[in-house]
Amino acid sequence: YHYRATEVLKGAAPAKPLDLFLDSGSRRVLKAHPKRSILLAKTEEGAWRRLAMVDDTLLVTVRDILRLAPEWQRPGTGRYDYFARLLGHDQPLLRDTAHLEVARAPYAYLRTLGRTFPRQKILAALSEPRYLEWFALHILLLAQSNDPRDRKRIEDSLRAAERLELPLHLGAWATAYVEIEGEKAIDFLEARYLRIPRQPDELREVVAALSVQGNGGREELRDRIVAAYGVLLERYPDKAIDIVGDLLTWRRWEMADAISTAADRRAEDLKPEDLGKLRWFVAMAGRANR
């Protein structure tokens, strides 16, 4: 009921028996399937930790990850490209790992991926309830479809989320709607979320969608997004800290008065570092406008 090292994938071979208990269930599986093994890793504290039961398919991926890790430290899309090939894989661990990795990719990369990713795989994932936690990724990929049925699905889904006040995947549906409809979509989000009372989690999702599009999506819509941010601040001055980063990046100093007013009105409620960030934006705007 103890582990024995059969192969070292990285690092030195263990100098002594592994101090980790092998449970009876895993032992029975290993006896019944001799080609399977269990992947272990040593923590920084020197303790052994079980990661997963693996077969030959999984081991190929593990070896690839170790081999390519130095290359992935450099800027580029290599890491995302590798895991994008594994989206929808039959092996649950590979499928989940691929989703986690690709979901971290910048939106600009997902836009490119969505134009070549098989539509049927996207639809299959969105029709499988057990993949619910990964729906956001596939919604963003679906936004690159030119099929009128997909575009209608995006609009209908967002309008249903608005009507039912559902925050789940709202950010993804809103991002996708702006992708396909541009200013029309922003008009809708402004009217139905930014100008009327909404729950904080709904607002957070909508603002995130506008930010994503302004930073790595339809950047030509920045003027309209900034105008929507102005509407947001009129009703929700506490959201100034959520948008000031974008305004700094985009060097949109015309919002300085609105940010200054928001900072004054919410000064007592803000963390010192957040208030400092708002004040710094106002100061930077003043210098830029001299």
Side-chain angles (χ1 to χ4, degrees):
Y1 291 89
H2 292 277
Y3 290 94
R4 175 175 59 86
T6 59
E7 181 181 355
V8 177
L9 299 175
K10 183 179 180 182
K16 57 183 179 179
L18 305 180
D19 185 20
L20 189 64
F21 178 71
L22 173 62
D23 64 275
S24 58
S26 296
R27 184 172 182 267
R28 286 194 296 269
V29 173
L30 292 174
K31 289 189 69 174
H33 303 277
K35 291 187 176 182
R36 296 186 187 180
S37 55
I38 295 179
L39 182 65
L40 304 179
K42 182 180 283 189
T43 66
E44 293 183 357
E45 294 75 22
W48 287 100
R49 175 188 174 194
R50 171 176 169 156
L51 298 183
M53 183 170 289
V54 297
D55 55 15
D56 290 343
T57 301
L58 275 168
L59 275 177
V60 168
T61 302
V62 171
R63 292 190 179 96
D64 283 346
I65 291 172
L66 295 174
R67 174 175 54 84
L68 295 169
E71 178 183 328
W72 290 345
Q73 297 302 314
R74 298 189 291 270
T77 63
R79 181 171 184 154
Y80 303 130
D81 292 338
Y82 180 89
F83 286 102
R85 297 186 296 106
L86 300 176
L87 286 174
H89 198 283
D90 293 337
Q91 218 291 335
L93 183 57
L94 287 182
R95 181 178 64 242
D96 292 351
T97 301
H99 281 109
L100 284 170
E101 290 287 341
V102 179
R104 295 168 50 196
Y107 183 60
Y109 176 84
L110 298 182
R111 294 180 86 205
T112 301
L113 177 63
R115 294 165 193 156
T116 59
F117 198 79
R119 176 175 179 268
Q120 290 306 316
K121 284 190 175 183
I122 299 175
L123 298 180
L126 289 175
S127 65
E128 180 55 68
R130 60 180 172 162
Y131 298 158
L132 181 64
E133 62 182 308
W134 310 122
F135 275 14
L137 171 60
H138 288 90
I139 291 168
L140 298 181
L141 297 178
L142 188 69
Q144 300 304 318
S145 170
N146 291 320
D147 192 305
R149 294 169 296 179
D150 298 333
R151 299 169 75 90
K152 185 176 187 302
R153 178 177 184 174
I154 289 170
E155 180 171 0
D156 290 348
S157 296
L158 178 62
R159 291 182 179 275
E162 181 274 324
R163 186 175 64 256
L164 299 174
E165 300 182 358
L166 299 176
L168 183 63
H169 303 315
L170 173 60
W173 288 121
T175 302
Y177 192 36
V178 175
E179 184 70 41
I180 64 173
E181 292 293 354
E183 291 197 12
K184 172 187 172 183
I186 299 176
D187 290 345
F188 175 83
L189 295 173
E190 182 181 291
R192 302 306 304 161
Y193 285 97
L194 307 185
R195 290 187 178 277
I196 62 178
R198 282 290 184 178
Q199 295 300 318
D201 49 358
E202 292 179 284
L203 282 175
R204 183 172 57 252
E205 293 291 313
V206 169
V207 172
L210 295 174
S211 177
V212 163
Q213 286 290 3
N215 283 295
R218 298 193 57 179
E219 297 181 8
E220 72 276 11
L221 296 173
R222 277 185 184 174
D223 287 348
R224 183 64 186 87
I225 292 171
V226 170
Y229 282 174
V231 172
L232 174 74
L233 288 187
E234 290 177 6
R235 186 169 190 91
Y236 302 98
D238 59 312
K239 297 300 179 184
I241 194 61
D242 296 334
I243 65 172
V244 71
D246 287 345
L247 299 177
L248 279 167
T249 300
W250 304 341
R251 303 180 70 82
R252 300 303 297 255
W253 312 121
E254 70 268 31
M255 296 284 290
D257 289 343
I259 293 292
S260 179
T261 300
D264 291 340
R265 291 172 62 181
R266 306 294 299 183
E268 295 183 357
D269 302 325
L270 290 170
K271 298 177 182 178
E273 57 269 29
D274 289 343
L275 181 59
K277 190 173 184 179
L278 297 180
R279 298 293 192 204
W280 186 65
F281 171 82
V282 174
M284 290 290 290
R287 295 173 189 171
N289 291 328
R290 284 177 186 171

